[in-house]
Structures are given as C-alpha cells and as structure tokens.
Amino acid sequence: MRPITHDLLTREVTAWHQQGLIDRPLLETLLPRYESSGRFLAALLKWLGLFAIFQLGLAVLAFIAMASESALVAAMLLTAVGTGLWYFGVRFATDPRQAHPFTGSVLLTASLAAAFGVFMLLQIALLGDDSAGRNVPLIVLLTGVLATLTAYRYHLRWPLLLGLLLFFHGLGAWHAYGGHGAYFAHIQDERLMAVAALVAIGLGLWHERRLELGPLRRCIGFGGLYLIFGLLYLNLSLWFLTLPRGPLAWVLTFTAASIAQIIVGARLHDARFTGFGIVFLAIDLYTRYYERFWDSLSLGLFFLLGGTLAMAFGFACERWSQITPLEPRS
C-alpha cells in the first residue's frame, strides 16, 4: 500500500471514530489492516510461534503418555487438547471482527488431526498394539464426518473442504511426492470413486441451486466445494482407468465424459464444468498421443508434432466459438 493511501485511510477511520460513526473495537480492527510494512514478518513470526507452542505441547503429551505406558491415557490427554483447539478455533473463525481468521483455521485443522490421533489411540487401547495399522480408512472417514459437522454447525467452508478431502481419501485415494520431480497418485477402486464423485456432483448442484437459496442460505459456497471435488475425482478415476493402455471402452468413456462436461458447462453457463472438461480432454488427448507415438518418434519430433496439433486444435476451437453465436442467458 502506498504511504499516501495509508495516511488517507488512517485519517478517515480516525475521523469516523471521533464523529461517533464507529466504536473503539471497530477502529482497532480497521487500523491494523491498513498497515503494510512489516506485516509479512509479523505473520511469519506468529506462525512460527504457534508451531513451536504446538510442538512443545505435543512433546509434553508424548512424555506423559510414554511414562504412563497406556494408550488410553494418551487418548484422554489428546482428547482434552483437541477439544481446546477446536473450541478456540471455532471462536476465532466465527468472530464477527475476523481478528484472527487464519489462526482459527489452523487451530481447527490441528483439532481434526488430534481427533484422528484419538481414534487411532482408542483402537490401540481396545484391540492391542497389533491393530495400529488397521481401519485407517474408516478412521479417516470418521474424522471427515467431524469436519463436516463442524462446517455445517458453524457455517465454515474450511472444515468442509477438509472433510471432503478426508472422505475421498478414506475411499482409497492417496498421493505422495517421490522426489526428483516425481509425484505419485493412486485410487484403490476407480469405479467406486467415480460413483462417489458423481453423487458429490449431484449433491453439489442440488446444494447450490436449492438448499443455499432456502434453508442453508448461510452455507454459501458449500455446493461449489462438493462440485469441484466431485469433478476432480470423477475425471481422475476415469483417467486412471485408461492407464496404462487401458481398454478402449474406458478410453471412449473418459473422452465422452470430458466432452459432456464442456457441453454441460456451456448449457449451465458454469465455468467449473467447462474448465474441468477442457483440462481433462487435453490430458486424455495427450495421453493417447503419448501412448501411440512416444516409442516411435524422436524426442524433438514428438514435441514438435504434439505442439503443432495442439495449436491447430486450439485455433479450430477459437474459430468455431466465433462463428457459433452464444445463446442468451435466461
């Protein structure tokens, strides 16, 4: 922010307070937002301080749990800490002044991580140490349910995003960084994931076009999250079913689904459908091109021919969009 702009805004809000238009708490909320110098360093120090306090707390809890040699005691301690994190996270995130919105999101995330740890410790306490690696997808789903309940109870989008992420990962999706620029992703059952994603897309449309205009009007944006996650995991599932050199039926299904999303986006005037459709149609075409020509062409010719085809296809689409008139939006 330019110094002259900062001085102008500071004078204006101070004058509003002196004229009685705003109260003291609102003045104290507005003034720091106009400060630009040193904000990044202050935010960095705050995050580092929160992280250090959190790590120290975990170290103390781990020491107590190891001394007691009881998974149940550790679960009770972690439950107390997680409940506190959840309580203060909700308070910060729902504060009308929004004095600490990001801190609230961090505390809510930490409380959900603590809930996952509590479920794991309870399983160990009830079933023994050999059960540590069992039922992890179920525990992930339970943690996602807690996140979703928090989101709907307090009308917060961030817990819903975490809940949807945990839900789809609980169904069998995972990803990891393999080092040296390699990134791995896998879906355990692509067909089941595709069905769940279709349900999420339908729920998102219903949520956005019905519920958010009626009883859930305070949950604006929730339907969009369902829709985006559904489109993402639907396309990923269909793409993975075509790899490597999958059956022709799944290749045609993936291509038809991508084209259908573009058409639906045009009909509904929804850029989310159009964007996902274009992106994954391009991925589909490049995958087929790679499978067909990677081993038979030199590297230079492969990229030259691929770039030329992509430019020709894009030019044709642009020409077609200019010739075809757009339907007026009702």
Side-chain angles (χ1 to χ4, degrees):
M1 182 183 297
R2 297 171 58 187
I4 187 173
T5 306
H6 166 261
D7 295 338
L8 176 62
L9 293 175
T10 302
R11 288 197 302 268
E12 288 293 330
V13 296
T14 304
W16 294 344
H17 174 63
Q18 293 174 350
Q19 296 170 8
L21 299 177
I22 60 175
D23 56 8
R24 185 69 183 181
L26 183 55
L27 175 66
E28 294 175 351
T29 302
L30 292 175
L31 284 177
R33 297 189 177 185
Y34 301 141
E35 293 287 348
S36 58
S37 60
R39 291 187 64 182
F40 175 77
L41 180 60
L44 179 61
L45 292 176
K46 181 176 68 174
W47 285 103
L48 289 175
L50 287 173
F51 181 75
I53 294 173
F54 185 66
Q55 292 298 316
L56 287 174
L58 288 180
V60 172
L61 289 179
F63 177 77
I64 297 174
M66 291 176 62
S68 64
E69 297 183 353
S70 172
L72 183 59
V73 173
M76 294 173 61
L77 292 174
L78 193 56
T79 299
V81 173
T83 302
L85 291 172
W86 178 86
Y87 174 75
F88 287 105
V90 168
R91 288 196 59 180
F92 288 153
T94 57
D95 184 5
R97 298 178 300 170
Q98 289 294 291
H100 307 285
F102 297 107
T103 303
S105 300
V106 171
L107 293 179
L108 283 173
T109 306
S111 68
L112 292 173
F116 177 82
V118 168
F119 288 136
M120 293 290 292
L121 290 171
L122 288 176
Q123 177 179 252
I124 295 174
L126 296 176
L127 302 179
D129 296 338
D130 296 336
S131 63
R134 302 176 191 171
N135 302 320
V136 173
L138 178 60
I139 294 176
V140 171
L141 290 174
L142 289 176
T143 308
V145 170
L146 292 179
T148 305
L149 292 175
T150 301
Y152 277 95
R153 174 61 180 84
Y154 297 100
H155 314 107
L156 299 171
R157 285 194 290 266
W158 175 250
L160 180 62
L161 187 148
L162 294 177
L164 290 172
L165 186 64
L166 290 170
F167 172 76
F168 282 104
H169 277 252
L171 285 182
W174 62 267
H175 53 80
Y177 179 66
H180 302 286
Y183 192 80
F184 301 100
H186 177 68
I187 295 177
Q188 185 173 351
D189 189 341
E190 294 88 351
R191 296 170 179 82
L192 176 62
M193 187 67 73
V195 173
L198 283 173
V199 173
I201 293 171
L203 179 60
L205 289 174
W206 179 54
H207 202 292
E208 197 171 57
R209 297 173 179 266
R210 297 290 183 180
L211 297 180
E212 293 179 16
L213 300 178
L216 297 180
R217 60 177 58 91
R218 297 183 62 185
C219 298
I220 298 296
F222 283 26
L225 289 176
Y226 284 108
L227 189 60
I228 290 172
F229 272 89
L231 288 171
L232 175 62
Y233 282 97
L234 171 65
N235 287 293
L236 285 177
S237 300
L238 294 178
W239 181 33
F240 288 176
L241 285 169
T242 68
L243 300 174
R245 300 184 184 274
L248 179 61
W250 284 116
V251 173
L252 295 177
T253 301
F254 182 34
T255 306
S258 301
I259 296 174
Q261 290 170 58
I262 298 174
I263 295 174
V264 170
R267 298 294 297 178
L268 298 180
H269 302 278
D270 195 325
R272 294 166 297 187
F273 281 97
T274 306
F276 274 99
I278 292 174
V279 168
F280 279 93
L281 179 60
I283 291 175
D284 179 29
L285 294 176
Y286 177 76
T287 303
R288 309 286 81 80
Y289 174 73
Y290 176 88
E291 292 177 344
R292 177 64 181 83
F293 295 106
W294 179 256
D295 295 328
S296 58
L297 297 177
S298 65
L299 187 62
L301 184 58
F302 175 84
F303 285 112
L304 177 63
L305 181 59
T308 303
L309 292 175
M311 291 179 61
F313 182 71
F315 178 77
C317 291
E318 285 290 333
R319 292 287 298 174
W320 180 76
S321 65
Q322 294 174 6
I323 295 174
T324 306
L326 295 174
E327 296 181 4
R329 185 171 183 177
S330 57

